[in-house]
Amino acid sequence: MNAAAFLTPGRRNLLFVLALSATILNLVDRQIISVLKPDIAADLGWSDDDYGTLAAYFQGAAAVAFLFTGWFVDRLGVKWANPVGVGLWSLAAMAHAVAHSFGQFVFCRIALGATEAMGTPAAIKTVAAIFPPEKRSNGYGLLNAVGSLGAIVTPLLIPLVAVTWGWRAAFLLGGVLGLIWALVWLFAVRDLHFGGDHDAPGERPATKRGPSILTERRSWAIALAKFLSDATWWLMLFWMPDFFNRSFGLKGVALGAPLAIAYSCAAVGALVAGAVTTRLIARGHDLARVRKGALFVAALFALPLPFADLAKDYWLAVALIGIVMAAHQAFSSSLFTLIADVSPAEKVGRVTSFGAFAGNIGGMVIAKVAGLVLASGLGYLPLFLFAGFSYLLAASAIHLLMPRLPLEGVRRTQGRAPAH
């Protein structure tokens, strides 16, 4: 088999399942420390400030790494980037099991953040490679949904491992699963060659190298949209428990229900966005209009967020935040699909990473701003006002910077033979 265009349905589904499971492993390895924080802190004598420092090192390392991992993924190609990325972050996860000092844990968190930054560009590039344009929306929708569902399931499973074998075993198990995954992937793609890939990691592509993504308007459009939309996502991740505590007095186990509902809504949003846009394209609607329309519709569903701060009823606030979480994942899935549509195959990884870097910077900025706003006594309303309009601003940025979508990824796919 000589090209990804000739993937059989069975082989395509196998590779997609592996891509989904890699996303889960990525989430599991990064969440172990947060889920087991009380046990690890008690064992190693960490303070809350120590834990916050570790979290900052992790996200900072990921943000910086995103500037390079996209190029690395594009250079290796789908066939090799996946096992290399999963293998590296699995080893970084396993290193936590033998860390004892705070300095050693800092090193492990930096290594994990930097290597896990390969996950997003590799996943986006993989879906773009194995699915034709009319089916990518469903692919990215499922990819985002799996991440949302993983955020619910993972905290339930990790403590069981820690109770049975100790917290160090949880890191070892996560890493071992990743190494097994890498071997399975290599077996699954042993006879495949993907468009834009190289037969070996050291080979140079035969085609002439194009201009830097930093000189292209589409890269900055994606980055600006990610900066604005991901800021809201990180605001919800970091501060949602605090909002429910301040507004409704919820804490501990009582926070489980609203968080579970919010992440479940996020998964539904990703799935619905993928299914609806796929059906619209199948019915013959213009691809560019469908992509931009999906972004604007998702943005409209995020607008009610400020009313959550004004709600007196607990369940009304949960419902409003759930709608916004669904809107975010619908927006995010559509944006990832857009990256694959407007980027040449050999640049998908770099454009994705540049966008992810901008999104992480947005998350770091909103985390600091939120702390300052709350410390000044202004409450969540100013933050929710920005968050509610951030998606509309992001969609507008896409439209202004790319009034006509350069559908290079679509033309590249349409030039290949049909899958069979």
Side-chain angles (χ1 to χ4, degrees), residues 10 20 41 64 82 92 117 129 132 153 163 166 175 185 206 226 236 260 309 349:
L20 294 177
V64 173
N82 280 290
V153 175
V163 168
W185 173 270
K226 287 289 287 181
M236 293 291 101
D309 187 59

Side-chain angles (χ1 to χ4, degrees), residues 63 185 257-258 304 323 373 406:
W185 173 270
I323 291 172
V373 169

Side-chain angles (χ1 to χ4, degrees), residues 237-323:
L237 291 182
F238 283 137
W239 297 99
M240 198 188 335
D242 182 73
F243 166 74
F244 283 118
N245 176 258
R246 289 178 185 235
S247 300
F248 303 101
L250 301 181
K251 60 181 179 180
V253 177
L255 286 169
L259 296 180
I261 291 172
Y263 286 119
S264 297
C265 289
V268 171
L271 293 174
V272 170
V276 170
T277 53
T278 297
R279 178 162 295 189
L280 289 174
I281 294 171
R283 290 182 175 180
H285 291 274
D286 179 71
L287 181 64
R289 291 190 176 187
V290 170
R291 296 297 189 227
K292 285 189 176 181
L295 293 174
F296 276 104
V297 170
L300 293 177
F301 274 95
L303 290 175
L305 180 59
F307 293 102
D309 187 59
L310 303 175
K312 302 300 181 183
D313 181 75
Y314 156 62
W315 288 110
L316 176 59
V318 172
L320 290 170
I321 289 179
I323 291 172

Side-chain angles (χ1 to χ4, degrees), residues 31-362:
Q31 272 197 306
I32 292 174
I33 195 170
S34 60
V35 173
L36 300 181
K37 183 231 176 191
D39 296 332
I40 302 175
D43 190 15
L44 300 181
W46 290 350
S47 66
D48 288 337
D49 181 58
D50 290 333
Y51 177 72
T53 300
L54 290 173
Y57 273 117
F58 174 86
Q59 189 162 1
V64 173
F66 273 126
L67 293 174
F68 308 98
T69 53
W71 174 87
F72 194 49
V73 168
D74 283 335
R75 186 70 182 84
L76 291 178
V78 169
K79 186 172 184 176
W80 295 100
N82 280 290
V84 169
V86 176
L88 287 175
W89 84 57
S90 297
L91 292 174
M94 295 174 72
H96 289 68
V98 296
H100 292 274
S101 69
F102 182 74
Q104 290 171 344
F105 260 89
V106 167
F107 175 80
C108 291
R109 295 314 287 174
I110 291 175
L112 187 63
T115 52
E116 283 203 341
M118 285 190 68
T120 299
I124 301 306
K125 192 175 181 72
T126 299
V127 173
I130 65 178
F131 285 108
E134 65 272 14
K135 294 183 178 180
R136 286 176 184 164
S137 295
N138 271 338
Y140 290 123
L142 283 167
L143 199 66
N144 272 7
V146 163
S148 298
L149 292 176
I152 303 171
V153 175
T154 304
L156 302 177
L157 299 180
I158 291 176
L160 296 178
V161 176
V163 168
T164 306
W165 295 292
W167 63 263
R168 295 184 185 277
F171 287 107
L172 286 175
L173 180 60
V176 169
L177 290 175
L179 295 179
I180 293 173
W181 184 98
L183 293 176
V184 174
W185 173 270
L186 289 173
F187 179 78
V189 300
R190 64 193 183 283
D191 56 349
L192 292 180
H193 176 72
F194 297 89
D197 278 12
H198 322 310
D199 290 329
E203 286 192 12
R204 292 186 177 274
T207 57
K208 184 179 179 180
R209 181 174 298 179
S212 167
I213 64 167
L214 298 180
T215 65
E216 298 172 343
R217 182 178 295 185
R218 62 181 161 229
S219 302
W220 292 99
I222 296 296
L224 183 54
K226 287 289 287 181
F227 177 87
L228 290 167
S229 59
D230 280 14
T232 296
W233 180 250
W234 287 110
L235 175 68
M236 293 291 101
L237 291 182
F238 283 137
W239 297 99
M240 198 188 335
D242 182 73
F243 166 74
F244 283 118
N245 176 258
R246 289 178 185 235
S247 300
F248 303 101
L250 301 181
K251 60 181 179 180
V253 177
L255 286 169
L259 296 180
I261 291 172
Y263 286 119
S264 297
C265 289
V268 171
L271 293 174
V272 170
V276 170
T277 53
T278 297
R279 178 162 295 189
L280 289 174
I281 294 171
R283 290 182 175 180
H285 291 274
D286 179 71
L287 181 64
R289 291 190 176 187
V290 170
R291 296 297 189 227
K292 285 189 176 181
L295 293 174
F296 276 104
V297 170
L300 293 177
F301 274 95
L303 290 175
L305 180 59
F307 293 102
D309 187 59
L310 303 175
K312 302 300 181 183
D313 181 75
Y314 156 62
W315 288 110
L316 176 59
V318 172
L320 290 170
I321 289 179
I323 291 172
V324 175
M325 297 289 277
H328 170 84
Q329 287 294 53
F331 190 96
S332 180
S333 299
S334 299
L335 191 56
F336 280 138
T337 309
L338 188 66
I339 292 174
D341 287 344
V342 303
S343 304
E346 65 273 11
K347 293 184 178 181
V348 170
R350 278 168 285 175
V351 176
T352 301
S353 279
F354 187 50
F357 164 76
N360 271 263
I361 295 299

